[in-house]
Amino acid sequence: MTEASSSSNSIQNEKSIQPEGTYSLEQLKEHNTRESLWMLLHDKVYDITAFMDEHPGGDEVLIEEAGRDATEAFEDVGHSDEARDMLPKMLLGEFYGEKKTKSKKSISSTGGTTSSSGFPIWVVPVALIAAFLAWRVFLA
């Protein structure tokens, strides 16, 4: 075996070895239940299983984001400094590897966008326009 091929093999092996104290996407995905719930926030992996009952937003939102990168959802809600101060107690370690992105929008079978509850969003403006027209015709 030549020195060059030996060198390239050791470089490949170094790239495929996951550093100790880090967690991969595959490991993260294995923990997406009430019994074991992990979440990725800002490239750090947290075990939030014990916190589920205390979460002010309910455990459903945590379960929905479990086992994947929840950074965007965490930041969109606008968590308080107190919530951020709780994170170090739940820290497992750093994230290692590629993150996969997910699509936020859900499209209904009719092609319209729906809210998280499944309610068609377009109904609200249509109802407001109908109410305004009824007011103008019957009361003005």
Side-chain angles (χ1 to χ4, degrees), residues 22-79:
T22 63
Y23 298 89
S24 68
L25 186 61
E26 290 75 31
Q27 289 172 302
L28 191 64
K29 286 180 179 180
E30 293 172 5
H31 298 274
N32 61 357
T33 65
R34 289 180 192 279
E35 291 75 32
S36 180
L37 199 135
W38 292 6
M39 205 174 272
L40 177 63
L41 298 171
H42 301 288
D43 295 324
K44 293 183 183 347
V45 179
Y46 296 91
D47 181 354
I48 58 169
T49 310
F51 179 68
M52 285 189 354
D53 293 332
E54 300 174 37
H55 188 253
D59 60 355
E60 296 86 16
V61 294
L62 297 176
I63 292 168
E64 185 178 322
E65 295 297 327
R68 59 181 165 195
D69 187 358
T71 304
E72 186 176 343
F74 182 83
E75 293 301 333
D76 285 349
V77 171
H79 283 87

